[in-house]
Every structure is written in structure tokens, then in C-alpha cells.
Amino acid sequence: MNREEAWALLTQYNEGEFHRKHARIVGDVMRYFARELGYGDEEEFWEVVGILHDLDYERYSEQHCIRGPEIMREHGVDERTIRACVSHCYGITVDIRPEHEMEKVLYATDELTGLIGAVVRMLPTKSVKDLQLKSLKKKFKDKKFAAGCSREVIERGADMLGWSLDELMERTITAMQASPAANGN
């Protein structure tokens, strides 16, 4: 499945701009990390996984990552993509642990991109280009701020990657700064 096909499938099941924008941002972040981590030949695959990871969330939030695989199989999505998408729900609705580095990146950055987006909306410029690590860390510690973004998942994701929390945050900020979707494009 290519980027355009993934986007067409996502938009079939997600009408809200919030979920569509999140899919674009996570797709961009995944593409960025594919390049940064030496998987440049798989950039589009990483991006497709980022686009499709929450395919079922808008319609089936209570069955997130359970209905998604069914939908993807109905549309001919390959099992590698399905597994990667589902692994980001590890410990939440499924027991499929992220194993490949790409799956770990998705697991670690999905919640973090949401938190970063919430922090950016608080900035006077509302631009991710102006976000500094210290601002993100301050809001990360405030459990009431963007309470739906699991700090535990973000920390577990950093551990899975063997990165410090600061490194994960800094690298994800940089990835979002390079994201057309995170910058209003």
C-alpha cells in the first residue's frame, strides 16, 4: 500500500479533522525517523504505518486496534503493516509487543506527538518551530495538562528504543518541525 492508498483508506473511516491531522503528523514523523535511523529505503512503509495506525479510533475507540486489523484485511493491507499498526496499542487493547525499531518508534511517538501538539497550541506563535525542550518537559510533568496523553506509554517507548526521555522528546520535536502537517501544510 502506498501513501495515497493509505490516506484514502484513512479518510474513509475518519471524518474529523483532528484524527486526519494526527494521521498526517504521525506519518510525517515516521518518515522522518525512517531516514534518521537508516531505513531510508522504507520511508513510505513507515509513513503508511503512521497514517493508518489509528484507522479504527474515530469510529471504534472502545475496540481500538481490534477493529483496525479487520478493516485493513478487508482492504488488502499486508500483515506486516497491520502488525506494525496494532503494536502501538501494546498493553492497552492488545498484547502485540513492538519488536522492530519502526514499531518502537510508533509506540514511543504516537502519544508524544499529541502532547507536543497540545503544548504548541499554548505557545503565542502556535508554531512547533518555536517549541523548546524545557517547555515540553514542564508540561510533561503536569499530569493534568493533556491528560489523555499517556506519560507512561511515552516513557516505556523511550525505554524500548534505549533512548532517554529527553532524547525521545528532542528528536520528536525535530521530526515535527520537519513535518508539513505539523506546520499547517
Side-chain angles (χ1 to χ4, degrees), residues 29-179:
V29 166
M30 293 299 291
R31 180 178 277 275
Y32 173 89
F33 276 110
R35 281 191 304 270
E36 290 297 306
L37 298 173
Y39 297 93
D41 59 329
E42 292 192 344
E43 283 181 39
E44 188 169 44
F45 171 66
W46 285 46
E47 182 178 14
V48 164
V49 169
I51 291 169
L52 291 177
H53 79 284
D54 279 345
L55 175 66
D56 60 2
Y57 192 82
E58 187 175 298
R59 287 194 189 174
Y60 310 105
S61 61
E62 297 299 317
Q63 296 178 303
H64 182 38
C65 290
I66 296 168
R67 292 296 302 269
E70 296 169 11
I71 295 166
M72 286 188 251
R73 285 185 186 103
E74 288 171 12
H75 289 85
V77 177
D78 65 281
E79 289 299 319
R80 182 177 177 220
T81 301
I82 293 169
R83 186 202 188 292
C85 289
V86 170
S87 71
H88 91 280
C89 285
Y90 173 68
I92 302 166
T93 57
V94 299
D95 290 326
I96 298 172
R97 182 178 178 80
E99 293 176 4
H100 186 279
E101 192 167 22
M102 180 267 300
E103 295 170 347
K104 294 173 184 178
V105 168
L106 177 62
Y107 183 85
T109 62
D110 177 36
E111 295 286 317
L112 184 53
T113 59
L115 181 63
I116 290 170
V119 174
V120 166
R121 285 190 292 280
M122 303 297 291
L123 296 175
T125 63
K126 303 203 182 326
S127 173
V128 70
K129 301 243 186 231
D130 296 323
L131 180 61
Q132 295 180 4
L133 179 60
K134 67 180 181 178
S135 299
L136 177 58
K137 287 173 65 171
K138 181 178 179 183
K139 292 298 188 184
F140 182 86
K141 290 177 186 172
D142 179 358
K143 305 294 188 217
K144 292 180 183 173
F145 179 81
C149 296
S150 172
R151 275 66 167 174
E152 182 181 319
V153 167
I154 295 167
E155 290 171 334
R156 199 176 316 138
D159 289 343
M160 284 180 186
L161 287 164
W163 299 351
S164 70
L165 186 57
D166 281 7
E167 181 181 5
L168 173 62
M169 289 179 170
E170 189 71 58
R171 290 175 92 164
T172 305
I173 290 169
T174 301
M176 285 183 68
Q177 289 172 337
S179 163

Side-chain angles (χ1 to χ4, degrees), residues 1-19:
M1 176 166 276
N2 66 34
R3 178 189 191 285
E4 290 75 25
E5 293 166 331
W7 183 251
L9 179 57
L10 178 89
T11 57
Q12 241 183 296
Y13 289 87
N14 291 269
E15 296 175 9
E17 184 53 33
F18 177 83
H19 290 113

